[in-house]
């Protein structure tokens, strides 16, 4: 009973922390990732339970990709979504080599089949390959027309790619850019994040608790980070998530497979960092002062 009341509170708080997409749809600032899920049958039950608990706690955006586990993550997610599909904002990603006129429709249909659903809420180009952005944008629009996806976006595109996309027919219909972002990897703050803000395009932050990217080891042993976590009576992972979503226009998609981690992540939106605390973090993990390569994993 106590746990149920607690769950309601956590969910209510996540409902308060939403990010608005360009079409006005709102999604929770903290969602869930699925990379490395669906790869070990012995873990499937636990992974499904984690994702479902996360949804219950208000982390209703779930990110996956045709690449993860060669379709295994989508298959697992298809199981996890049974009975709760309509509560979830479902995101998947297409391989760059499939993001063309010839292959994208089939790739999307295959993802839908694995996910046991007939539409995606968001479909992303996983990273830029050899297919012209114009062609990808065109085929994404076709998928929207066919009702297979509600909207589309991109991932791992830097500022120059975004500028190019914006010049293409339909390019401005891009809804989100999913990139690596955490306190130890702030390169996007120099130009990509400002560009996206100027164009009202939310960033979806992957590796928000620093599974990959720059300075990840330094983060976990940093005295300021540890002291602030103590002040807020939270873990370092929770502090990193709170930092990631601090501005209200960034969506973080941590991946977690234990009940403890899922609950911690869901509680992170309740942590409010003060201006002074953010300034302390800026002192140790400084914002970029020049153009940096886009961090990727
Ligand atoms: P994350 O930063 O989310 O880190 C995941 C790791 O953190 C796992 O080992 C997990 O362990 C652990 N963890 C989760 N919650 C906690 C917690 N509260 N305390 C301590 N440890 C915790 O990295 P990801 O690489 O998974 O990124 C998130 C998601 O972003 C991916 O799952 C994927 O959906 C997406 N992504 C997209 C990419 C792209 O190119 N577009 C690239 C990489 C990721 P455990 O599983 O044991 O709970």
């Amino acid at each position: 009973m106590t746990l149920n009341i607690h769950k309601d509170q956590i969910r209510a708080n996540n409902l308060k922390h939403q990010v608005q997409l360009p079409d006005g749809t709102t999604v929770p600032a903290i969602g869930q990732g699925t990379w490395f899920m669906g790869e070990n049958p012995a873990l499937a039950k636990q992974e499904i339970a984690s994702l479902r608990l996360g949804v219950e706690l208000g982390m209703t955006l779930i990110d996956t990709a045709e690449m993860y586990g060669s379709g295994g993550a989508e298959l697992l997610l298809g199981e996890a979504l049974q009975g709760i599909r309509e509560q979830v904002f479902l995101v998947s990603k297409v391989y760059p080599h499939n993001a063309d006129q010839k292959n994208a429709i089939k790739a999307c249909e295959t993802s839908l089949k694995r996910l046991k659903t007939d539409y995606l809420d968001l479909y992303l180009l996983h990273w830029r390959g050899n297919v012209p952005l114009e062609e990808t944008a065109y085929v994404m629009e076709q998928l929207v027309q066919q009702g297979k996806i509600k909207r589309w976006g991109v991932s791992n595109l830097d500022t120059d790619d975004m500028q190019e996309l914006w010049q293409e027919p339909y390019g401005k219909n891009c809804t989100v850019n999913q990139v690596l972002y955490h306190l130890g990897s702030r390169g996007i703050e120099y130009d990509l994040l400002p560009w996206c803000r100027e164009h009202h395009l939310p960033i979806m932050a992957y590796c928000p608790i620093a599974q990959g990217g720059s300075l990840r080891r330094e983060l976990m042993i940093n005295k300021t980070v540890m002291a602030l976590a103590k002040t807020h009576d939270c873990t370092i992972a929770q502090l990193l998530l709170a930092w990631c979503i601090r501005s209200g226009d960034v969506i973080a998609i941590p991946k977690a497979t234990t009940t403890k981690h899922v609950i911690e992540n869901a509680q992170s939106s309740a942590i409010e960092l003060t201006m002074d605390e953010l300034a302390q973090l800026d002192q140790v993990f400084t914002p970029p002062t020049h153009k940096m390569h886009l961090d990727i994993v």
Side-chain angles (χ1 to χ4, degrees):
M1 188 62 181
T2 315
L3 187 62
N4 281 338
I5 291 166
H6 196 46
K7 277 184 182 173
D8 287 345
Q9 283 171 350
I10 298 173
R11 184 171 48 236
N13 197 59
N14 280 316
L15 271 174
K16 272 194 261 162
H17 289 83
Q18 301 276 314
V19 172
Q20 193 167 27
L21 302 181
D23 66 6
T25 305
T26 55
V27 295
I30 300 183
Q32 304 185 77
T34 62
W35 196 19
F36 293 116
M37 287 192 185
E39 298 192 6
N40 179 350
L43 297 178
K45 210 172 147 194
Q46 184 186 328
E47 290 167 349
I48 289 170
S50 297
L51 288 166
R52 290 179 72 91
L53 174 63
V55 171
E56 235 187 301
L57 297 179
M59 298 190 293
T60 53
L61 180 150
I62 305 183
D63 174 78
T64 191
E66 63 171 329
M67 185 189 97
Y68 300 161
S70 304
E74 288 184 331
L75 276 172
L76 179 113
L77 186 50
E79 292 302 317
L81 290 174
Q82 288 308 296
I84 57 166
R85 168 66 186 96
E86 294 308 315
Q87 295 176 43
V88 171
F89 187 96
L90 182 56
V91 186
S92 193
K93 304 192 248 350
V94 61
Y95 268 124
H97 63 260
N98 279 339
D100 62 4
Q101 195 61 47
K102 185 164 165 266
N103 297 305
I105 309 269
K106 181 87 189 114
C108 182
E109 285 170 351
T110 306
S111 287
L112 291 175
K113 206 168 164 193
R114 284 192 287 249
L115 288 159
K116 295 195 176 73
T117 186
D118 52 9
Y119 71 97
L120 295 173
D121 294 283
L122 179 62
Y123 199 32
L124 305 179
L125 168 65
H126 206 149
W127 66 91
R128 188 168 184 181
N130 296 326
V131 177
L133 291 176
E134 178 182 7
E135 186 172 344
T136 299
Y138 183 74
V139 78
M140 288 290 195
E141 289 296 319
Q142 276 184 300
L143 285 165
V144 173
Q145 294 288 317
Q146 293 173 6
K148 292 179 177 128
I149 65 173
K150 299 270 189 215
R151 49 190 82 68
W152 62 273
V154 294
S155 177
N156 296 304
L157 259 60
D158 207 345
T159 315
D160 52 349
D161 296 317
M162 293 308 299
Q163 284 164 338
E164 188 184 323
L165 178 63
W166 240 242
Q167 299 307 314
E168 303 295 359
Y170 306 113
K172 293 186 180 69
N173 290 349
C174 173
T175 292
V176 78
N177 189 6
Q178 184 182 108
V179 290
L180 193 158
Y181 184 50
H182 57 68
L183 177 62
S185 177
R186 302 181 64 168
I188 64 164
E189 289 177 32
Y190 185 73
D191 56 346
L192 182 61
L193 191 55
W195 188 93
C196 288
R197 284 196 172 130
E198 195 186 320
H199 295 85
H200 310 290
L201 193 72
I203 286 284
M204 194 178 285
Y206 73 75
C207 296
I209 41 183
Q211 182 271 127
S214 311
L215 302 181
R216 59 186 186 279
R217 285 179 196 88
E218 288 86 339
L219 275 178
M220 302 301 166
I221 52 165
N222 181 269
K223 286 201 174 96
T224 305
V225 172
M226 288 196 280
L228 288 179
K230 199 169 174 202
T231 305
H232 286 273
D233 192 21
C234 70
T235 67
I236 289 178
Q238 288 181 302
L239 191 86
L240 293 181
L241 282 177
W243 181 89
C244 205
I245 62 162
R246 69 200 181 286
S247 55
D249 57 358
V250 172
I251 304 150
I253 47 168
K255 169 254 178 185
T257 49
T258 67
T259 304
K260 180 176 179 286
H261 285 167
V262 173
I263 294 174
E264 282 177 9
N265 296 348
Q267 288 172 323
S268 304
S269 59
I271 301 165
E272 303 278 352
L273 298 169
T274 65
M275 295 303 279
D276 178 58
E277 289 169 339
L278 291 172
Q280 288 179 47
L281 291 170
D282 284 348
Q283 290 291 317
V284 278
F285 294 99
T286 47
T289 53
H290 58 273
K291 172 72 187 158
M292 299 175 83
H293 278 300
L294 191 61
D295 232 349
I296 53 167
V297 286

